[in-house]
Amino acid sequence: MNTPPSPASPAFTGRGYDFVAALPAQNLIGGRFQAPSQPSGELPILNPRHGREMSRVLLSGAADVDAAVKAARAAAPAWAELPIRERALVFYRLRQLLVRDFEELAWLISHENGKVIDQARAEVEKAIECVEFGCSLPNLAAGTQLEVSRGVTCELTYAPLGVVAGITPFNFPLMVPLWMIPQAIVGGNAFILKPSEQTPLSAMLLGRLFAEAGLPDGIYNIVQGGRETVEALCDHPGIAAVGFVGSTKVAKLVYGRACAAGKRALCLGGAKNHLIVVPDADPDVTVDNIVASFTGCAGQRCMAAANLVAVGEVDDIIEAVCQKAAALSATEGVGPLTTDASRQRILSIIAQAEADGARVRVDGRGAASGEGFYLGATVLDGVDPGSRAAQEEIFGPVLSIIRVKTLEEAIKIENDNPYGNASTVYTTSGDVARLVMGRVQAGMCGVNVGVPVPREPFGFGGWNDSKFGHGDITGWDGFRFWTHVRKITTKWALQKDQTWLN
Ligand code: NAD
């Protein structure tokens, strides 16, 4: 039975950009919202639009992770016993609740992360799409059966791993957890989420909705925290698998630590996405698309445009990109960065690019004063391919333009970067599109699409330094990641004159 949501479960009342305080972030363990028992520290959660503390988060230690594992382990067997269709039914109900509470979710995301409300609404829509994929899993997991020889069948079935964990970044506090949760929970597991300590609140609202949707206590748990919490999750012997989404540096650490502890791990990292523009590109499509890609969510998307590789004479397109970007309001169009630390880091990258000889054609630094962590859209032209602005993930509304003479040079620059998340070409030529799509080192590619996120049911995942582990995190690969495949060979009619071969 579910316990009713405890009084500490969140209800967020903000419906505009005015400052609103929220309840403190809490853990959700065995169906009860609660503070960590032995916190290792405490952090403020700042509203990025106002630079003011809207809530606080206590950082959980190993004892809290252990409590979450115990609650999850207690709940997991009964959940795993249910037919998969019954497990998926919870997600049908969750979908309706996400639709019902759409505005509350969107405004909470907008307040804790800073993204403008339209982008926050887009995040909730994409989160709903992930839940819909979860609803479809009973059909996809129907399995395969074949009579491999007379009277003998082989069959595949999927068994849960038990207790599993997900660790997520600050930039999509609702959608990224839902990249993992439907596949893991419909697959029969009990899940422990460690949200970003910068944006820990949306995960709690999701907990409230799960309880209302009828998910048994202990199947969706939350431990709030940072590095120490993550390390405890990686080390805990009661956790069978870890999914991670965040920066490359931490993805590598988590992958190594979880694998060393004998766990299954899939860790998505950072990105530096290249957009190649050739002279035959359609100007209208290209310009709108590039600006939306590098400024959407204030550039805090792992699929955002980072480097524009301009091949030959494309000055009219670049000029129009600059004009459109300069016209965007930093407050209403771009939105603030989530932290001031991020803004300060990006300001130093822009200053260094300028010192290295790049031209700041659109300068968003004027917005970086007053309250809130704003930085306007910024375009750097003539960026050296070896410089920090071209190499490092900036994760802000900054576009670095690298000029080259040929398509070969553009592809080489793309291939030389260690990341492999996304890559796009803008062209009206099928030949150019085919050539680039066949050669770039990226897992998610676009032709005239600036944010080539594969929509469900296609899986999300990059290559190279953008992912450690095998397979994609969403789609069918996600279900396979969170489950064991059992191969069952059956022979009922025992015939003495036959071996297993005939
Ligand atoms: P981050 O790596 O700093 O944090 C991600 C998670 O790891 C958080 O929950 C955090 O608490 C934890 N963490 C941070 N430092 C840690 C450490 N030293 N040891 C263990 N755990 C630690 O990432 P972020 O700043 O929250 O998010 C932005 C990054 O995420 C960007 O690099 C972005 O490209 C990436 N990202 C990638 C994808 C993708 O699909 N590839 C999607 C979204 C975001």
Side-chain angles (χ1 to χ4, degrees):
M1 281 300 291
N2 290 345
T3 47
S6 53
S9 72
F12 187 69
T13 55
R15 292 295 182 276
Y17 290 150
D18 288 347
F19 180 81
V20 175
L23 287 168
Q26 290 197 308
N27 290 348
L28 175 62
I29 295 180
R32 287 202 59 77
F33 285 101
Q34 53 197 263
S37 62
Q38 294 171 21
S40 61
E42 185 174 4
L43 292 173
I45 302 159
L46 301 181
N47 177 316
R49 202 166 272 112
H50 299 276
R52 269 175 71 192
E53 182 175 323
M54 66 178 284
S55 179
R56 292 191 82 75
V57 58
L58 290 167
L59 308 177
S60 306
D64 299 296
V65 167
D66 190 51
V69 173
K70 286 196 171 96
R73 193 187 270 159
W79 181 247
E81 281 296 309
L82 293 177
I84 188 169
R85 292 174 74 85
E86 282 181 39
R87 298 195 299 252
L89 260 182
V90 171
F91 285 80
Y92 280 91
R93 293 194 287 265
L94 177 69
R95 184 195 180 280
Q96 293 315 104
L97 298 173
L98 290 168
V99 170
R100 185 195 69 190
D101 292 351
F102 189 93
E103 285 297 301
E104 184 181 355
L105 285 156
W107 280 110
L108 178 57
I109 291 167
S110 178
H111 278 246
E112 69 170 339
N113 167 279
K115 61 182 71 175
V116 297
I117 187 62
D118 284 351
Q119 298 283 352
R121 289 187 178 121
E123 174 170 353
V124 182
E125 277 171 19
K126 190 65 179 59
I128 290 172
E129 197 170 292
C130 295
V131 169
E132 287 166 353
F133 183 72
C135 297
S136 74
L137 282 168
N139 301 324
L140 294 171
T144 309
Q145 195 194 53
L146 184 72
E147 186 176 32
V148 288
S149 61
R150 208 170 302 113
V152 179
T153 56
C154 274
E155 180 192 2
L156 302 185
T157 63
Y158 300 95
L161 303 179
V163 178
V164 299
I167 299 153
T168 51
F170 74 83
N171 64 331
F172 283 94
L174 181 71
M175 180 193 78
V176 169
L178 285 169
W179 279 358
M180 308 182 204
I181 292 168
Q183 284 88 332
I185 291 186
V186 176
N189 300 286
F191 196 88
I192 302 172
L193 176 67
K194 206 299 286 172
S196 166
E197 62 275 43
Q198 290 161 28
T199 54
L201 302 175
S202 300
M204 291 170 62
L205 218 166
L206 182 63
R208 188 188 83 194
L209 298 184
F210 263 133
E212 200 179 337
L215 188 72
D217 294 341
I219 298 300
Y220 171 71
N221 305 277
I222 305 169
V223 284
Q224 306 283 6
R227 174 184 179 161
E228 197 179 307
T229 325
V230 171
E231 290 176 352
L233 288 166
C234 291
D235 296 346
H236 199 294
I239 295 175
V242 171
F244 172 92
V245 180
S247 62
T248 289
K249 183 179 138 228
V250 182
K252 258 187 204 171
L253 287 171
V254 170
Y255 185 74
R257 194 160 180 143
C259 289
K263 298 183 190 349
R264 204 178 268 196
L266 180 59
C267 300
L268 273 61
K272 187 77 178 172
N273 304 317
H274 288 65
L275 272 53
I276 298 174
V277 180
V278 303
D280 70 16
D282 178 281
D284 292 338
V285 169
T286 305
V287 170
D288 288 357
N289 221 262
I290 289 173
V291 175
S293 178
F294 89 90
T295 62
C297 296
Q300 297 183 133
R301 289 190 287 199
C302 67
M303 296 294 283
N307 287 348
L308 190 166
V309 190
V311 181
E313 178 52 56
V314 291
D315 277 347
D316 53 335
I317 290 178
I318 289 174
E319 181 55 34
V321 164
C322 291
Q323 280 180 21
K324 198 171 172 76
L328 265 182
S329 144
T331 49
E332 304 293 321
V334 178
L337 294 157
T338 302
T339 63
D340 192 44
S342 180
R343 179 172 61 167
Q344 297 308 329
R345 183 183 51 80
I346 297 170
L347 286 171
S348 86
I349 296 175
I350 296 170
Q352 191 173 333
E354 208 173 11
D356 290 345
R359 188 174 147 214
V360 185
R361 289 188 63 168
V362 180
D363 195 343
R365 289 174 288 188
S369 61
E371 72 166 18
F373 308 141
Y374 290 102
L375 173 69
T378 298
V379 179
L380 307 171
D381 198 358
V383 170
D384 185 296
S387 70
R388 194 176 165 203
Q391 293 285 324
E392 201 173 295
E393 179 177 34
I394 296 178
F395 222 55
V398 180
L399 186 68
S400 300
I401 301 176
I402 301 168
R403 304 275 187 161
V404 296
K405 292 196 174 66
T406 66
L407 195 53
E408 281 302 319
E409 280 177 82
I411 292 171
K412 180 166 179 355
I413 285 172
E414 201 285 339
N415 286 350
D416 284 349
N417 107 83
Y419 297 103
N421 223 39
S423 187
T424 281
V425 63
Y426 291 94
T427 182
T428 49
S429 153
D431 272 351
V432 171
R434 209 164 34 243
L435 178 78
V436 176
M437 290 301 98
R439 302 259 307 273
V440 284
Q441 283 287 319
M444 294 171 282
C445 299
V447 177
N448 301 316
V449 176
V451 184
V453 173
R455 299 282 298 268
E456 313 306 319
F458 295 96
F460 190 103
W463 296 356
N464 307 334
D465 278 1
S466 292
K467 192 184 71 186
F468 304 90
H470 178 72
D472 291 328
I473 201 148
T474 67
W476 179 242
D477 278 7
F479 186 76
R480 289 291 306 268
F481 176 72
W482 301 110
T483 54
H484 290 295
V485 184
R486 183 178 279 125
K487 285 74 63 177
I488 304 172
T489 305
T490 307
K491 181 176 182 179
W492 289 115
L494 302 174
Q495 294 152 300
K496 288 202 177 89
D497 59 335
Q498 283 178 10
T499 70
W500 67 276
L501 273 174
N502 43 47

